[in-house]
Amino acid sequence: LLVAAGLFAAAFLLGSVPWGLIISKVFYHTDIREHGSGNIGTTNAIRTMGKVGGYAVFVLDFGKGLLSGFLAWVFAWNFLPGGGFAPGALVNYDTMLAAAFLGCVWGHIFSPWLKFKGGKGIAVAVGCLFVTFGWVGACLELLIFIVLVVATKRVSIGSIAAAMACPFFAAYYFLIVTFAPLAWLFCTIAGLTVVWAHRENIKRLRAGTENRIGDKKKKER
Ligand code: G3P
């Protein structure tokens, strides 16, 4: 458990780097939090800085997630018996992947550099999921996201649905395919945290005032 906690802390630190804010300050001389939805993530980065800045934020946030998966591999390989593949262990390789996922997503959402107010965790989660669930699971999650975004023209609907699907994908991978209940728990908490991070979006959706794709720089907070 100590190894998983160490990995969680390392992934949290990695996830806490607020790329959206850094890119907006360094290259656009503005604070992304003062524009659009006020979020530091890709959607608001595209809204505020256009495609180049927005995609840069996506790549960097996605990269944090991917790198946290790599960290899980490094920690498991170096600190767990049998690289995390010893039979019957409570903390195994899958648990490590899920601990890195939760750590990175929490680091992004509760960034200590932003007084524990960060982003909403979507790009980061997708990056992590390519490692945690593998490419098939991650692509299916992406498919849910893309279909709903295209159908509703609201990024938050795709994000919330994909986050809600996370516990179910995790149940398939970590309760049926392999048996790692802690990994399922960590993924479920991560998914629910991402839904919680969208609470303002949920309020706006209910009020019918949520941003649609194409709405530019509307102050919605
Ligand atoms: O991933 C964030 C997205 O779901 C919503 O972003 O800026 O519209 O709140 P935003």
Side-chain angles (χ1 to χ4, degrees):
L1 267 182
L2 212 65
V3 177
L7 169 64
F8 176 87
F12 185 93
L13 213 63
L14 183 66
S16 72
V17 181
W19 284 118
L21 179 62
I22 294 171
I23 299 277
S24 74
K25 287 250 174 181
V26 173
F27 294 104
Y28 295 83
H29 309 292
T30 187
D31 185 328
I32 188 173
R33 294 169 299 178
E34 290 166 4
H35 302 274
S37 68
N39 191 38
I40 60 164
T42 303
T43 311
N44 203 40
I46 294 175
R47 234 179 249 134
T48 307
M49 304 185 270
K51 284 189 178 149
V52 175
Y55 292 155
V57 172
F58 176 78
V59 169
L60 289 164
D61 280 348
F62 180 92
K64 290 195 301 199
L66 214 55
L67 206 60
S68 76
F70 176 70
L71 272 184
W73 179 75
V74 171
F75 270 67
W77 189 252
N78 286 293
F79 304 122
L80 286 186
F85 291 97
L90 175 69
V91 173
N92 58 15
Y93 186 64
D94 290 333
T95 321
M96 297 296 275
L97 291 180
F101 173 37
L102 180 60
C104 197
V105 166
W106 271 18
H108 182 81
I109 295 178
F110 306 113
S111 175
W113 320 116
L114 306 179
K115 300 189 179 128
F116 298 97
K117 283 185 198 149
K120 298 179 184 172
I122 293 296
V124 182
V126 175
C128 291
L129 286 184
F130 267 93
V131 186
T132 311
F133 289 168
W135 70 271
V136 176
C139 286
L140 285 173
E141 278 275 23
L142 262 180
L143 194 67
I144 295 176
F145 172 80
I146 291 168
V147 166
L148 282 167
V149 171
V150 170
T152 66
K153 302 263 181 294
R154 289 175 179 91
V155 178
S156 58
I157 294 185
S159 302
I160 294 164
M164 292 202 312
C166 184
F168 297 98
F169 278 101
Y172 171 73
Y173 284 110
F174 302 131
L175 297 179
I176 296 174
V177 177
T178 65
F179 190 66
L182 265 184
W184 173 78
L185 184 68
F186 292 163
C187 291
T188 298
I189 296 173
L192 293 178
T193 311
V194 171
V195 175
W196 173 83
H198 282 82
R199 60 199 179 287
E200 292 300 325
N201 300 82
I202 294 170
K203 273 188 208 157
R204 290 200 291 268
L205 284 166
R206 292 172 73 113
T209 58
E210 176 64 317
N211 279 312
R212 284 168 151 258
I213 291 177
D215 289 353
K216 284 270 173 197
K217 300 187 180 182
K218 225 199 256 165
K219 185 85 182 159
E220 291 277 3
R221 290 169 74 198

